[in-house]
Amino acid sequence: MIGVVYLGNNPKTQERLRYIPGQLVRMTNAYKDAAQICTPHVSNEHFIVFFERNVRNEDITAITYLRKKCHNVYIILITNNMSEEERNIYMKCGINDTIVAEASVTELNKKIMFISDRESILFDDQAPKYRILKFKIPVWKRLFDIVFSGLAIILLSPIFIITAIAIRLESPGPVLFKSKRVGTNYTIFDFLKFRSMYIDAEDRLKELSKDHNQYAEQHEEEPKTTVTAPLGEEAEQEMLDMGMESMMMIDDEEIMLVGDDFVMAESDYNKKKEEDINNAFVKIENDPRVTKVGQFIRKYSIDELPQLFNILKGDMSIVGNRPLPLYEAEKLTADSNIDRFMAPAGLTGLWQVEERGKGGNMSAEERKQLDILYGQTYCFTLDMKIIFRTIFAFVQKENV
């Protein structure tokens, strides 16, 4: 059981704390005595300190002293109204929570029980107070990236120059193409490639049929059913003006989702969402947006070379999971896909070499699972194997 200490001299609060069922609350009005009480006799002993607010300067001294002497305390400030400035000051000096001065015995007991039930989380002596799931690249991998990318840029500089000239001669526009990509820890950065498309390529994407998507799963188009809801124009417009997704029942069977610009059955919405997630990797077969120079540099992966500067900068690694465009990454934010982004972002990776071995035939789900597998098992030996397989597969027939 967690020990409970009251630090203050308010008789009403003391009286209520004495009636906490099954709990002996030790009382003191001296913060040094409270610190001595809260000194643990065993490593996992913890204390809740109810601190009665008084003069601010004296309170800060007392709370700071408690924090310095006792790392195993949860301090609850007993107070009424506080300004935003006062709240920030008390939080900075070390309080964990507040409770109103008129709190009943029941409310005080609930607070104690709530903290006691979460003792292993609130009093985690071994782990940091705030744990954020974040990947940090190992030193060996970062050093290898710097040396490898630096040497590669120097050795391949003639190819950089020739490619840049060829791109400018064929079509107007910048030599490099920058796109926002999502890498490790969902970090967004400018992803560099030699431009292999016409400058209006993004606009042309909308004109392409979905059948051109090499990796999209093919589904027979089901006949659409129109459901008429007895809302009336005014009621329906009112729901749309709410600016949020709402729900309504149609014939007590089908739930309809009403948004800013759509009315859709919940079953259809869930199906569409699942298809979007499964088809998050977009690759267009025989893409008409690509220039002739672009076709050549894509075939031999020359368009990827500027990413060596991304690697040198630290945006990504030589080997890792492919950074995704924003519209693709936003579809992979479910819990089952988070591990994909808790790993290095890379120029080449596990699914790239596996896909080339399968002739470019690999489903989106297979790719995601290989990304997750790499994040869980990557090491220097695996990185070297992927690099060598990438070099041997450098000349390829398929656009993968």
Side-chain angles (χ1 to χ4, degrees):
M1 182 178 291
I2 295 179
V4 181
V5 178
Y6 170 72
L7 177 53
N9 54 11
N10 187 330
K12 294 182 179 179
T13 305
Q14 291 174 347
E15 185 68 20
R16 286 193 291 268
L17 286 170
R18 288 193 182 98
Y19 285 97
I20 299 294
Q23 183 71 61
L24 175 63
V25 180
R26 282 170 278 191
M27 312 283 185
T28 181
N29 58 6
Y31 62 85
K32 292 185 178 180
D33 291 342
Q36 188 174 1
I37 295 172
C38 295
T39 301
H41 299 287
V42 293
S43 59
N44 61 345
E45 188 175 11
H46 306 117
F47 294 88
I48 298 173
V49 177
F50 285 98
F51 187 95
E52 191 84 42
R53 183 184 174 191
N54 195 7
V55 180
R56 189 171 72 183
N57 291 340
E58 295 178 1
D59 291 347
I60 293 172
T61 300
I63 295 170
T64 303
Y65 184 87
L66 278 172
R67 278 288 169 215
K68 183 178 180 180
K69 293 294 182 179
C70 308
H71 301 287
N72 59 334
V73 295
Y74 189 94
I75 302 176
I76 302 174
L77 183 68
I78 301 176
T79 182
N80 286 320
N81 296 330
M82 296 178 68
S83 65
E84 189 66 28
E85 179 186 1
E86 289 174 328
R87 188 178 302 276
N88 291 333
I89 291 173
Y90 275 94
M91 287 180 65
K92 286 180 180 179
C93 69
I95 67 166
N96 299 99
D97 200 353
T98 61
I99 194 169
V100 295
E102 295 80 15
S104 64
V105 175
T106 300
E107 291 171 329
L108 290 168
N109 187 49
K110 283 183 178 180
K111 181 72 72 174
I112 294 172
M113 295 305 298
F114 179 86
I115 298 168
S116 298
D117 291 342
R118 292 155 180 80
E119 182 176 4
S120 61
I121 300 175
L122 299 175
F123 298 94
D124 192 345
D125 301 319
Q126 304 300 323
K129 188 71 175 177
Y130 302 101
R131 288 173 288 180
I132 301 176
L133 185 61
K134 188 174 183 179
F135 172 81
K136 185 176 182 179
I137 190 168
V139 175
W140 66 264
K141 192 170 180 64
R142 181 62 187 140
L143 289 175
F144 177 80
D145 290 338
I146 293 174
V147 174
F148 189 102
S149 60
L151 290 175
I153 290 171
I154 295 173
L155 295 175
L156 298 172
S157 56
I159 298 179
F160 276 88
I161 296 173
I162 294 172
T163 303
I165 294 173
I167 292 172
R168 289 300 299 270
L169 288 176
E170 182 181 13
S171 63
V175 171
L176 293 179
F177 175 75
K178 295 181 181 180
S179 64
K180 296 295 183 182
R181 294 291 180 101
V182 180
T184 306
N185 301 315
Y186 288 97
T187 301
I188 300 174
F189 65 94
D190 286 327
F191 185 80
L192 303 178
K193 296 183 72 172
F194 277 124
R195 181 171 60 84
S196 60
M197 294 184 176
Y198 296 100
I199 57 176
D200 59 347
E202 294 297 331
D203 295 332
R204 298 189 185 192
L205 180 61
K206 299 177 181 179
E207 301 174 5
L208 296 175
S209 170
K210 184 180 178 181
D211 293 337
H212 285 131
N213 189 343
Q214 181 177 348
Y215 298 115
E217 296 181 4
Q218 301 299 320
H219 299 281
E220 292 185 3
E221 185 175 354
E222 297 180 0
K224 297 181 180 180
T225 302
T226 302
V227 181
T228 304
L231 291 177
E233 294 182 2
E234 294 182 1
E236 183 174 343
Q237 185 61 47
E238 181 179 352
M239 295 185 71
L240 294 175
D241 290 341
M242 290 172 65
M244 59 180 289
E245 188 176 281
S246 307
M247 294 193 303
M248 59 183 175
M249 295 297 297
I250 305 300
D251 296 333
D252 297 326
E253 293 181 359
E254 182 68 282
I255 296 178
M256 301 299 293
L257 303 180
V258 181
D260 289 337
D261 55 1
F262 69 89
V263 178
M264 183 184 296
E266 184 181 33
S267 58
D268 293 338
Y269 173 81
N270 291 333
K271 182 179 178 181
K272 183 178 183 300
K273 183 177 180 181
E274 182 179 356
E275 289 177 355
D276 286 344
I277 292 175
N278 289 336
N279 299 326
F281 297 91
V282 174
K283 187 87 170 189
I284 306 299
E285 189 175 17
N286 300 322
D287 195 337
R289 301 172 299 169
V290 181
T291 62
K292 292 181 179 180
V293 173
Q295 292 175 1
F296 179 84
I297 63 178
R298 281 188 171 195
K299 178 179 180 180
Y300 296 98
S301 298
I302 297 173
D303 63 322
E304 309 284 354
L305 293 182
Q307 290 157 43
L308 291 169
F309 291 98
N310 285 123
I311 295 169
L312 192 62
K313 182 182 176 183
D315 294 328
M316 49 193 286
S317 183
I318 296 292
V319 182
N321 295 334
R322 193 68 173 162
L324 297 180
L326 300 182
Y327 70 91
E328 295 181 14
E330 69 178 1
K331 301 172 184 176
L332 299 178
T333 56
D335 291 344
S336 59
N337 299 312
I338 287 177
D339 286 347
R340 186 204 181 277
F341 297 95
M342 297 298 112
L347 177 65
T348 185
L350 187 57
W351 70 252
Q352 283 92 336
V353 295
E354 293 290 338
E355 184 176 58
R356 285 164 179 150
K358 295 178 65 175
N361 297 318
M362 183 175 288
S363 69
E365 183 59 31
E366 287 178 305
R367 288 180 167 204
K368 287 183 284 186
Q369 292 306 315
L370 285 174
D371 282 344
I372 293 173
L373 176 63
Y374 175 78
Q376 296 171 343
T377 61
Y378 78 93
C379 61
F380 182 78
T381 303
L382 178 59
D383 280 10
M384 292 303 102
K385 289 181 179 179
I386 293 174
I387 289 174
F388 285 125
R389 290 183 65 183
T390 302
I391 293 174
F392 290 131
F394 199 73
V395 179
Q396 51 189 317
K397 295 180 180 180
E398 293 83 11
N399 291 325
V400 299

